């Protein structure tokens, strides 16, 4: 399973273009631009497991830094401030990582 089997390559490119500048990344806006917010809960969960690089069942802070690069290898890494803001916005149980349910709530809300 790849991201482009769920999201269109054009939508992903558009979302990445919107946050090229450092400190311009907004998870909510990114999910809207790439079309993920319109997908089913099952599809959002499939995307989560694609983004969970180490297959731990969670997206940890270290993985979040490279979030954009999971969509395109040439994309930039998130800044420390963006990474921390993303984690804070999605980590509902304050365990320092994002689970599949937390990711789904953030994307679909």
């Amino acid at each position: 399973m790849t991201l482009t089997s769920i999201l269109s390559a054009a939508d992903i490119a558009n979302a990445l273009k919107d946050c090229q500048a450092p400190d311009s990344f907004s998870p909510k806006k990114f999910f809207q631009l790439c079309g993920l917010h319109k997908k089913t809960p099952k599809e959002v969960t499939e995307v989560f497991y694609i983004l969970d690089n180490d297959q731990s069942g969670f997206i940890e802070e270290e993985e979040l830094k490279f979030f954009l690069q999971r969509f395109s290898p040439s994309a930039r890494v998130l800044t420390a401030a963006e990474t921390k803001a993303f984690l804070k916005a999605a980590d509902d149980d304050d365990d320092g990582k994002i689970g599949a349910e937390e990711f789904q709530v953030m994307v679909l809300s």
Side-chain angles (χ1 to χ4, degrees), residues 47-87:
V47 167
F48 171 85
Y49 286 109
I50 293 168
L51 297 173
D52 177 18
N53 201 36
D54 64 4
Q55 301 301 299
S56 66
F58 297 95
I59 299 175
E60 294 87 7
E61 188 170 345
E62 186 63 26
E63 288 172 304
L64 277 180
K65 279 197 306 195
F66 303 103
F67 177 82
L68 297 176
Q69 291 182 342
R70 299 294 290 159
F71 288 86
S72 172
S74 63
R76 69 178 179 89
V77 296
L78 295 180
T79 65
E82 288 170 320
T83 303
K84 290 191 183 315
F86 192 170
L87 185 62

Side-chain angles (χ1 to χ4, degrees), residues 9 13 19 34 56 67 81 90 94 99 103:
C19 60
C34 75
S56 66
F67 177 82
D94 292 323
F103 183 75

Side-chain angles (χ1 to χ4, degrees), residues 88-109:
K88 185 177 180 179
D91 182 19
D92 293 332
D93 61 6
D94 292 323
D95 64 355
K97 52 195 175 187
I98 301 170
E101 285 183 31
E102 291 170 318
F103 183 75
Q104 191 181 95
V105 167
M106 178 183 213
V107 170
L108 297 176
S109 65

